[in-house]
Amino acid sequence: PLPVVASRGGRPTVEDAGRVLLEVHCLEWPLPVQAGYGRLVAVDLLHKLHDERHYGSLQALEAGIAQDVADARAWLAVQPPR
């Protein structure tokens, strides 16, 4: 298993198309980034950080993602190995 952060829902800061997506960011991808495209992956949702948020700007969105990554790393650090 690889540690990730994920967002499930719409993309209210970027677009409002009404689609529900699962966007996953791998914190420790072991291969060249190009090797990840077109691959089928399984995702286990282990912990919810917060409900979907709307950010007022892309800069605020980037800061929110950075905080989510820090929060996820902190949560993962105290979990027993899987």
Side-chain angles (χ1 to χ4, degrees), residues 34-56:
Q34 300 86 352
Y37 290 97
R39 299 187 102 177
L40 181 63
V41 298
V43 177
D44 292 331
L45 303 175
L46 303 177
H47 177 71
K48 183 177 180 176
L49 294 175
H50 56 75
D51 289 334
E52 186 172 62
R53 295 178 177 166
H54 179 273
Y55 296 93

Side-chain angles (χ1 to χ4, degrees), residues 23-73:
E23 297 178 309
V24 178
H25 172 74
C26 186
L27 303 178
E28 298 173 13
W29 185 253
L31 303 171
V33 69
Q34 300 86 352
Y37 290 97
R39 299 187 102 177
L40 181 63
V41 298
V43 177
D44 292 331
L45 303 175
L46 303 177
H47 177 71
K48 183 177 180 176
L49 294 175
H50 56 75
D51 289 334
E52 186 172 62
R53 295 178 177 166
H54 179 273
Y55 296 93
S57 67
L58 290 179
Q59 183 178 11
L61 172 62
E62 290 172 356
I65 291 169
Q67 184 62 56
D68 289 348
V69 167
D71 293 347
R73 287 187 187 280

